[in-house]
mmCIF file of all heavy atoms in Angstrom:
data_model
loop_
_atom_site.group_PDB
_atom_site.id
_atom_site.type_symbol
_atom_site.label_atom_id
_atom_site.label_comp_id
_atom_site.label_asym_id
_atom_site.label_seq_id
_atom_site.Cartn_x
_atom_site.Cartn_y
_atom_site.Cartn_z
ATOM 1 N N GLY B 288 90.502 29.646 -39.916
ATOM 2 C CA GLY B 288 90.535 30.293 -41.229
ATOM 3 C C GLY B 288 89.152 30.316 -41.847
ATOM 4 O O GLY B 288 88.729 31.305 -42.424
ATOM 5 N N GLN B 289 88.417 29.208 -41.720
ATOM 6 C CA GLN B 289 87.083 29.117 -42.321
ATOM 7 C C GLN B 289 85.992 29.406 -41.301
ATOM 8 O O GLN B 289 84.809 29.383 -41.635
ATOM 9 C CB GLN B 289 86.874 27.730 -42.940
ATOM 10 C CG GLN B 289 87.861 27.446 -44.072
ATOM 11 C CD GLN B 289 87.459 26.246 -44.913
ATOM 12 O OE1 GLN B 289 86.757 25.351 -44.448
ATOM 13 N NE2 GLN B 289 87.912 26.225 -46.153
ATOM 14 N N LEU B 290 86.369 29.638 -40.041
ATOM 15 C CA LEU B 290 85.406 29.956 -38.992
ATOM 16 C C LEU B 290 84.304 28.906 -38.905
ATOM 17 O O LEU B 290 83.112 29.214 -38.941
ATOM 18 C CB LEU B 290 84.787 31.341 -39.234
ATOM 19 C CG LEU B 290 85.787 32.502 -39.248
ATOM 20 C CD1 LEU B 290 85.147 33.753 -39.826
ATOM 21 C CD2 LEU B 290 86.304 32.777 -37.834
ATOM 22 N N CYS B 291 84.713 27.643 -38.843
ATOM 23 C CA CYS B 291 83.710 26.590 -38.729
ATOM 24 C C CYS B 291 84.324 25.355 -38.083
ATOM 25 O O CYS B 291 85.546 25.198 -38.043
ATOM 26 C CB CYS B 291 83.154 26.218 -40.105
ATOM 27 S SG CYS B 291 84.396 25.574 -41.225
ATOM 28 N N TRP B 292 83.443 24.515 -37.569
ATOM 29 C CA TRP B 292 83.863 23.215 -37.063
ATOM 30 C C TRP B 292 84.067 22.265 -38.225
ATOM 31 O O TRP B 292 83.346 22.335 -39.219
ATOM 32 C CB TRP B 292 82.804 22.631 -36.133
ATOM 33 C CG TRP B 292 82.669 23.362 -34.845
ATOM 34 C CD1 TRP B 292 81.694 24.267 -34.517
ATOM 35 C CD2 TRP B 292 83.521 23.255 -33.696
ATOM 36 N NE1 TRP B 292 81.902 24.734 -33.235
ATOM 37 C CE2 TRP B 292 83.005 24.132 -32.712
ATOM 38 C CE3 TRP B 292 84.670 22.520 -33.405
ATOM 39 C CZ2 TRP B 292 83.602 24.277 -31.457
ATOM 40 C CZ3 TRP B 292 85.251 22.664 -32.155
ATOM 41 C CH2 TRP B 292 84.731 23.535 -31.197
ATOM 42 N N GLN B 293 85.030 21.390 -38.105
ATOM 43 C CA GLN B 293 85.170 20.347 -39.118
ATOM 44 C C GLN B 293 85.781 19.107 -38.470
ATOM 45 O O GLN B 293 86.509 19.195 -37.479
ATOM 46 C CB GLN B 293 86.020 20.838 -40.291
ATOM 47 C CG GLN B 293 87.440 21.206 -39.918
ATOM 48 C CD GLN B 293 88.200 21.780 -41.111
ATOM 49 O OE1 GLN B 293 87.706 22.639 -41.832
ATOM 50 N NE2 GLN B 293 89.407 21.282 -41.329
ATOM 51 N N PRO B 294 85.470 17.922 -39.006
ATOM 52 C CA PRO B 294 86.002 16.702 -38.407
ATOM 53 C C PRO B 294 87.512 16.596 -38.615
ATOM 54 O O PRO B 294 88.049 17.074 -39.615
ATOM 55 C CB PRO B 294 85.268 15.576 -39.154
ATOM 56 C CG PRO B 294 84.752 16.202 -40.400
ATOM 57 C CD PRO B 294 84.563 17.658 -40.132
ATOM 58 N N ALA B 295 88.190 15.963 -37.661
ATOM 59 C CA ALA B 295 89.631 15.706 -37.785
ATOM 60 C C ALA B 295 89.801 14.505 -38.702
ATOM 61 O O ALA B 295 89.277 13.433 -38.433
ATOM 62 C CB ALA B 295 90.231 15.423 -36.413
ATOM 63 N N LEU B 296 90.524 14.705 -39.813
ATOM 64 C CA LEU B 296 90.656 13.653 -40.827
ATOM 65 C C LEU B 296 92.095 13.572 -41.306
ATOM 66 O O LEU B 296 92.818 14.567 -41.261
ATOM 67 C CB LEU B 296 89.766 13.985 -42.037
ATOM 68 C CG LEU B 296 88.284 14.256 -41.771
ATOM 69 C CD1 LEU B 296 87.644 14.868 -43.010
ATOM 70 C CD2 LEU B 296 87.560 12.966 -41.391
ATOM 71 N N ASP B 297 92.477 12.413 -41.800
ATOM 72 C CA ASP B 297 93.771 12.353 -42.471
ATOM 73 C C ASP B 297 93.569 12.670 -43.959
ATOM 74 O O ASP B 297 92.471 13.024 -44.377
ATOM 75 C CB ASP B 297 94.454 10.985 -42.239
ATOM 76 C CG ASP B 297 93.718 9.844 -42.918
ATOM 77 O OD1 ASP B 297 92.815 10.110 -43.745
ATOM 78 O OD2 ASP B 297 94.037 8.678 -42.630
ATOM 79 N N GLN B 298 94.630 12.567 -44.754
ATOM 80 C CA GLN B 298 94.505 13.009 -46.151
ATOM 81 C C GLN B 298 93.545 12.138 -46.961
ATOM 82 O O GLN B 298 93.140 12.495 -48.057
ATOM 83 C CB GLN B 298 95.878 13.043 -46.827
ATOM 84 C CG GLN B 298 96.506 11.660 -46.968
ATOM 85 C CD GLN B 298 97.756 11.684 -47.826
ATOM 86 O OE1 GLN B 298 97.912 12.537 -48.683
ATOM 87 N NE2 GLN B 298 98.667 10.758 -47.588
ATOM 88 N N TRP B 299 93.183 10.974 -46.395
ATOM 89 C CA TRP B 299 92.246 10.095 -47.085
ATOM 90 C C TRP B 299 90.804 10.331 -46.625
ATOM 91 O O TRP B 299 89.891 9.639 -47.052
ATOM 92 C CB TRP B 299 92.605 8.620 -46.841
ATOM 93 C CG TRP B 299 94.019 8.319 -47.163
ATOM 94 C CD1 TRP B 299 95.060 8.195 -46.290
ATOM 95 C CD2 TRP B 299 94.576 8.115 -48.468
ATOM 96 N NE1 TRP B 299 96.222 7.941 -46.957
ATOM 97 C CE2 TRP B 299 95.956 7.879 -48.302
ATOM 98 C CE3 TRP B 299 94.044 8.117 -49.760
ATOM 99 C CZ2 TRP B 299 96.815 7.647 -49.379
ATOM 100 C CZ3 TRP B 299 94.885 7.886 -50.830
ATOM 101 C CH2 TRP B 299 96.266 7.652 -50.640
ATOM 102 N N GLY B 300 90.647 11.258 -45.707
ATOM 103 C CA GLY B 300 89.305 11.512 -45.192
ATOM 104 C C GLY B 300 88.900 10.550 -44.093
ATOM 105 O O GLY B 300 87.745 10.537 -43.667
ATOM 106 N N GLN B 301 89.854 9.767 -43.611
ATOM 107 C CA GLN B 301 89.564 8.823 -42.526
ATOM 108 C C GLN B 301 89.365 9.605 -41.216
ATOM 109 O O GLN B 301 90.201 10.428 -40.861
ATOM 110 C CB GLN B 301 90.726 7.840 -42.386
ATOM 111 C CG GLN B 301 90.672 6.966 -41.150
ATOM 112 C CD GLN B 301 89.493 5.991 -41.178
ATOM 113 O OE1 GLN B 301 89.301 5.284 -42.167
ATOM 114 N NE2 GLN B 301 88.703 5.983 -40.119
ATOM 115 N N SER B 302 88.269 9.327 -40.521
ATOM 116 C CA SER B 302 87.974 10.062 -39.289
ATOM 117 C C SER B 302 88.512 9.326 -38.072
ATOM 118 O O SER B 302 89.150 8.280 -38.192
ATOM 119 C CB SER B 302 86.460 10.218 -39.138
ATOM 120 O OG SER B 302 85.902 8.996 -38.678
ATOM 121 N N SER B 303 88.208 9.843 -36.896
ATOM 122 C CA SER B 303 88.637 9.217 -35.642
ATOM 123 C C SER B 303 87.849 7.944 -35.344
ATOM 124 O O SER B 303 88.191 7.209 -34.433
ATOM 125 C CB SER B 303 88.480 10.210 -34.491
ATOM 126 O OG SER B 303 87.124 10.629 -34.398
#
Side-chain angles (χ1 to χ4, degrees):
Chain B
Q289 298 194 335
L290 300 166
C291 62
W292 291 102
Q293 62 184 47
L296 306 167
D297 67 12
Q298 66 171 334
W299 307 101
Q301 170 66 51
S302 78
S303 58

